[in-house]
Amino acid sequence: MIERQLGLAMVLVLATTSTLLAQQSRKEPRWVNPYEGSFPGLKHHVLDSKSVGQGVGYVVWTPPDYDAEDDVRYPVVYFLHGAGGSETSDAEGFAHRILTQIEKKKFPPVICVFPNGVRSGYRGEVESMIVSELIPLIDNNYATQSNASGRAIAGFSMGGAGSVRLSILHPELFCGAGSWGGALSWRGNPEESPLLPAAEKAAEELKSNNFSLLTINGDKDHPDGFAPLKRVLNSAGIPHEVVTLPDTNHNLGKYYALSNETMLDFLASCLSRKQE
């Protein structure tokens, strides 16, 4: 009798736990996450998004000596966070790394933008928010180089995959894209990715913008995640560099440690090229 009661109690505990986990997974996304740090140049903002139907947080970093009233126009890097992150997750770390390279004269003074993509994969309403609302807003409110040659995009994990996706589907927007730990497909067959025919269709416009792609993956983190895309881009004459890091799993800290300069040198070279 006691054993039966214990068994029933265990079943109830497991059922309650499963219900709570399911409820947590269905929680409404948190669209606004204010930045509470004090890194110079970082400011949190909220976009009243028609695409999303509510306010969406984003963070902007402006470099030292930035002055919107000057005649100087700055290139822009958009950085997309991974699943479970927010607009504040990577802002301070990435901005600090960019600042270090600027101080070394290895990166042009640049504006960095960190949108909140929740767990969207940067698809649907979030894709529309970034492309149709956030990018025009940044160009209207900051002294930007408001063309593809002055705009690059990068990210980690979901953000890395999102950076590749947005740059291929919107070839008029970016001169370069960089991915840390992304993949064409996390579970399905990458050979069936809709980005492959999209890249073929966008090839001429990508080439006209001197577009290039860098994908960095760990040897334990989808090392062949973009192999089919590399074939498509290379056959179209579009540079796609693939880097595989040794002894690396899905960890942004490890990616930073082993390939920070590789990524930043790539982004700097994209933004330093002259559009043909």
Side-chain angles (χ1 to χ4, degrees), residues 72-113:
V72 178
R73 313 301 290 184
Y74 295 81
V76 184
V77 174
Y78 288 80
F79 190 89
L80 308 184
H81 65 77
S86 73
E87 70 270 31
T88 63
S89 300
D90 306 306
E92 194 165 307
F94 189 75
H96 174 74
R97 286 169 170 82
I98 290 283
L99 175 60
T100 298
Q101 296 301 92
I102 291 174
E103 291 174 342
K104 292 178 179 179
K105 309 296 184 186
K106 297 181 67 175
F107 210 105
V110 65
I111 296 168
C112 295
V113 181

Side-chain angles (χ1 to χ4, degrees), residues 80 122-133 135 147-149 151-153 162-177 195 198-199 201-203 205-206 208-209 211:
L80 308 184
Y122 299 96
R123 302 167 184 267
E125 61 191 7
V126 170
E127 176 180 351
S128 178
M129 178 271 293
I130 291 173
V131 170
S132 302
E133 299 177 313
I135 290 177
N147 48 43
S149 62
R151 195 182 293 122
I153 188 167
S163 296
V164 176
R165 183 176 183 277
L166 293 183
S167 65
I168 297 297
L169 295 182
H170 304 278
E172 75 283 2
L173 290 179
F174 305 101
C175 64
L195 282 187
K201 182 178 179 180
E205 189 161 12
L206 290 169
S208 71
N209 288 329
F211 178 83

Side-chain angles (χ1 to χ4, degrees), residues 125-271:
E125 61 191 7
V126 170
E127 176 180 351
S128 178
M129 178 271 293
I130 291 173
V131 170
S132 302
E133 299 177 313
L134 182 60
I135 290 177
L137 182 148
I138 295 298
D139 288 339
N140 286 333
N141 289 283
Y142 291 86
T144 68
Q145 296 176 14
S146 55
N147 48 43
S149 62
R151 195 182 293 122
I153 188 167
F156 170 68
S157 188
M158 180 185 81
S163 296
V164 176
R165 183 176 183 277
L166 293 183
S167 65
I168 297 297
L169 295 182
H170 304 278
E172 75 283 2
L173 290 179
F174 305 101
C175 64
S179 167
W180 269 312
L184 280 175
S185 175
W186 297 106
R187 297 180 182 85
N189 182 359
E191 298 285 355
E192 298 175 357
S193 170
L195 282 187
L196 302 180
E200 293 178 348
K201 182 178 179 180
E204 289 306 313
E205 189 161 12
L206 290 169
K207 287 169 68 175
S208 71
N209 288 329
N210 285 330
F211 178 83
S212 58
L213 176 63
L214 170 66
T215 54
I216 303 177
N217 288 76
D219 58 355
K220 301 175 183 177
D221 187 23
H222 297 84
D224 299 318
F226 289 105
L229 183 60
K230 179 177 174 63
R231 291 197 300 271
V232 171
L233 293 181
N234 285 174
S235 67
I238 299 168
H240 176 186
E241 181 182 359
V242 174
V243 174
T244 303
L245 302 178
D247 192 29
T248 299
N249 56 6
H250 200 64
N251 183 296
L252 180 56
K254 193 71 176 286
Y255 278 94
Y256 274 152
L258 295 180
S259 61
N260 177 64
E261 289 203 7
T262 301
M263 178 65 75
L264 297 191
D265 286 349
F266 166 78
L267 295 174
S269 69
C270 291
L271 295 172

Side-chain angles (χ1 to χ4, degrees), residues 4-21:
R4 183 182 177 189
Q5 290 175 338
L6 288 173
L8 289 173
M10 182 62 70
V11 169
L12 288 173
V13 168
L14 290 173
T16 302
T17 301
S18 298
T19 300
L20 288 173
L21 289 173

Side-chain angles (χ1 to χ4, degrees), residues 25-47:
S25 67
R26 293 195 298 267
K27 282 195 310 185
E28 288 296 316
R30 186 173 178 179
W31 290 101
V32 178
N33 304 269
Y35 171 65
E36 298 176 351
S38 58
F39 189 77
L42 275 182
K43 291 185 178 180
H44 185 273
H45 306 271
V46 177
L47 166 65

